[in-house]
Every structure is written in C-alpha cells, then in structure tokens.
Amino acid sequence: MDAAAPAQSDTIVAGRTGALEGEVQIAGAKNSVLKLMAACLLAEGRHSLANVPDISDVSLMCELLEAMGVTVTRTDHRLAIDVPAELNTSAPYHLVERMRASIVVLGPLLARFGEARVALPGGDDFGPRPIDMHLRALESLGATFSTAHGDISGTAGVLSGAEIVLEYPSVGATENVLMAAVRAKGRTLIVNPAREPEIGDLMNFLNQMGAQVGWAGDRLAIDGVEHMSPVRSDDGYRVIADRIEAATFLAAVGMCGGSVLLRGAVADHMTMLTRKLTEMGLHIVEDAAGVRATAGGRLSSADVSTLPYPGLATDCKPFLVTMLTTASGVGIVTENIFMGRFRYIDELRRMGADIRTEGHHAVVRGAERLSGAPVRAPDIRAGAALVVAGLAADGETEVADAAHIDRGYEDLVGKLAGLGAAISRH
Ligand code: UD1
C-alpha cells in the first residue's frame, strides 16, 4: 500500500457563507467499501474495486487486511486486493479499536478458514455497540465462540445453512451472516435483515464473486456455494455513491441557500431524507447526473425520527438537527438506533443553538442566527455537521479534532470551498 498521506492539521475553520453554487462529486460509500474489502477475503486472487473514497477508514481497512497477509495496492480511487491461499486469521486490537466496522471480517474468515480471532471492539463516542446478534447468528450456522484476553475466537467446521431471525435489522450482523452463509452448506434464510443500500451493494458484489444471494419476499435467501472467485471486470467493481456524504451537502445547501448539483448521488437511496428536506423547504430534483438541491430563505422546522432503512438514517440526524437550529419553529428529533447519539448537541449549544434533550428526544427551537465558536468534532458525521453549522454562523467556527471527519470524508474542505464556502484547514 502507498505510504500514508502526511498528517493534516486537526482544525477546520468555517466562516459565514452566502449561497453555495456549482457541483460536487459524491464519493464512493464508506459504509459499503469497507464491507466489500472484507468480502474479498472469501476468495483467493486479485480483487479490484473502483470508486473507492480517499478516506482514512479505507486506509485502516487496508492496514487490517495487510496485517492478515493480504497485499493492497491503492491508486487513484482504486484498490487492487491480492488475497493469498493462506492468511493470518487474526484482527488485532490496535486496528479494531480504531474502526468498529472491522468486525465484519469475522464472517468471511470463518466461512473460508473455519477460524477467526478478532479483538472485541470497545464502545465509541455514541455509546456501546454490541455484537451479540452477530455472534448468535453465526452460532446458528455452526460456529462456536470463546473470549479471552480481549479477543473473541471463533471456530467452525463446516458451516451449515439455517434460518436466522434477527431481532433487530442490524446492518453489521446482516453483513457478517451474509458473508459467512455464502460458503455454508445449504440454504440460509435471514428473517428481518437490514435492507440498507450498502447491503444491496454487498449482495451484488458477492453474487458477482459466484455467490447465490437474493430476496425471498422480505427475507434474504443465501444458497451456499463451494467456490468463489474475484469479480471479473476490467474496470473493477464500482462502489455505490455515499448517501451520507450526499446528505451532508444537502444540509449545507439548506443552511446557506444556493443551488448545487450532487454529481453521482442516487435519489432512490435517500427517499425518506429528501421527502423530509422538501417538507423543510429545500427543492430537490433527480437529474441524469445525480441530484440537484436548491434553497433560498429560512427553512421550516419538522419532526424527525431515525429508523432502520428505508427510514431516516441515524447518520443523517446530526445534519437534520443542525438545519433545525436555524429553521423557523420547533422540531422534535427522536433517535431510535443509538440511544446516546446526542453528544455533539453540547457543541451546537456553544454556537447558540436552542436544544433541549430528554432521553432519546431532542427539542430544537430554531434561532435566527448561530454564533461561531470553537467546537470539537466528536465523531465523523457530527463533526461534518458542525462544519456545516459553521457556514451559517456569524464569525468563525473552529472545529477541532477534524481527523474524525477524515475517516469518512474525502476532502470535505476542498469540496465545500469549491462551492463557494468560506472554509479552510489549519
Ligand atoms: C449502524 C447503522 C447504519 C450506520 C452505521 C454507522 C442502522 C440500523 N444501522 O450500523 O445505518 O451507517 O451504524 O453509523 O441504522 N445491536 C445490538 N447487538 C448487535 C448489533 C447491533 O444490540 O449485535 C444494536 C445496536 O446497539 C444498535 C442497533 O442494534 O442499537 C443497530 O446496530 P447496527 O445496525 O448493527 O449498527 P451498525 O452495523 O454499526
């Protein structure tokens, strides 16, 4: 893999910005590419991915694969991933603790090698993220697990297809089961699976590798196959567009006004979001090249509730809360996925936002103006939301710990500056 890029400075400075104009290229989806990289472990040979975002979580996943003995070559939005016949099947703590998505190597390693050792992920800034559903589901396929010294070790003889009922449509558990069941003996049915667009991307990728995965009504049906091989394509498998990055730019247009083409954005992946934003006063139209958003004047408040897809994504909530801080009226925001995911609200309050939280609800009373202040990015999306808030605040907003933002955004500062935003990195 290429040497890591020089460390960027850690503060983004955003100033009050007028209408945004122009177009922005939406990158490949973080929440898809990391899982596709893990799926490569299922087959020996050279895999090729295209439309890979240049973000630090991809670098971390490269490091994780390399720690297992995989060779990764990264060039201009592409990855060549050479998976050898034998691998070291351990995922070490120093990598797993920096990126929770690394837990998705569990399924493919068990399926192909019958063993896996993955450090137990800790909590993160929006609370604990358990993996009990992942483990129970993999046990239903025949795996057994033990924990010692902070690692979870799994072994499996031959995995066998089973009916798996997820009590909650967990994205990570659905991905782990999919990637284990593709090489199990017989049919697996997942009842109540997650149905995010990134799950669809993983299904396509696995099928192009020789798997047999599809929908059977509202369940996922996986017929195990003995052999899988890298996707045959000269151009590489193209990762879908990042709907959360798209949501970030929609929020920026909502806060600043203007008209921006989100090139490559897929309207069908954000129906619930665009409906809500339309209710708040944005004009959003699908275009052959992507999605165009136009806004002018103050937004109106709306009530918002996060739900598993096709509901409003929990990752979009910081952007909605931010937009509500300057909208006219009062909006009630309810978080149903991660109960603790409200920590950035204290930062928005420092900028003059009027937000009251109670349990998993936030009541946001729109103010005429926000006031720029030094704040801290607590995680990827909340960090980006604070940057967007800074564009609509008087004076300057310094967002510290911007490295969180780099985990999921390719050049957020450059892209916003390209639309006319008063933004820089120091
Ligand atoms: C979640 C989001 C996903 C988002 C990602 C990154 C949902 C449903 N999932 O995916 O859209 O992109 O975070 O922010 O919106 N849970 C358990 N036990 C488990 C697994 C999960 O109790 O074994 C609970 C979690 O605590 C959480 C819920 O299930 O309350 C959803 O978790 P899950 O979908 O698995 O999370 P991620 O895969 O991280």
Side-chain angles (χ1 to χ4, degrees), residues 273-359:
L273 176 71
T274 52
R275 199 174 290 174
K276 186 58 67 179
L277 295 179
T278 303
E279 187 186 327
M280 291 172 69
L282 263 94
H283 182 61
I284 300 173
V285 285
E286 193 176 349
D287 179 295
V291 168
R292 175 170 290 280
T294 308
R298 196 171 178 194
L299 298 177
S300 318
S301 290
D303 293 339
V304 172
S305 216
T306 64
L307 279 176
Y309 193 83
L312 261 174
T314 180
D315 280 353
C316 291
K317 196 190 57 186
F319 306 114
L320 288 156
V321 170
T322 298
M323 282 188 272
L324 289 173
T325 61
T326 55
S328 65
V330 178
I332 299 174
V333 181
T334 305
E335 170 62 56
N336 292 309
I337 316 289
F338 293 107
M339 294 314 163
R341 210 171 182 180
F342 271 138
R343 296 190 187 170
Y344 58 95
I345 281 178
D346 288 336
E347 305 297 303
L348 283 172
R349 284 198 191 108
R350 292 176 42 70
M351 298 176 69
D354 179 350
I355 309 174
R356 204 159 40 81
T357 53
E358 204 174 299

Side-chain angles (χ1 to χ4, degrees), residues 31 35 126 128-134 168-173 175 196 243 307-308 313-315 337-338 341:
N31 289 339
K35 321 306 168 68
F126 41 96
R129 286 187 161 192
I131 55 163
D132 54 311
M133 271 192 263
H134 302 228
Y168 188 93
S170 153
V171 175
E175 290 162 342
E196 270 69 0
R243 63 197 167 101
L307 279 176
T314 180
D315 280 353
I337 316 289
F338 293 107
R341 210 171 182 180

Side-chain angles (χ1 to χ4, degrees), residues 2 25-29 33 48-55 58 73-80 235-239 245 409-411 415:
D2 303 341
Q25 179 67 45
I26 299 304
V33 69
S48 172
L49 292 173
N51 199 30
V52 175
D54 194 2
I55 56 177
V58 165
T73 315
R74 195 169 175 183
T75 46
D76 190 28
H77 297 108
R78 287 175 174 278
L79 287 178
D235 296 332
Y237 182 90
R238 194 175 164 80
V239 179
E245 190 198 26
Y409 288 88
E410 178 176 324
D411 194 18
K415 286 184 176 183

Side-chain angles (χ1 to χ4, degrees), residues 90-93 96 116-121 145-154:
S90 310
Y93 179 66
V96 175
R117 198 171 86 222
V118 179
L120 274 171
F145 294 99
S146 60
T147 49
H149 311 297
D151 290 340
I152 178 126
S153 297

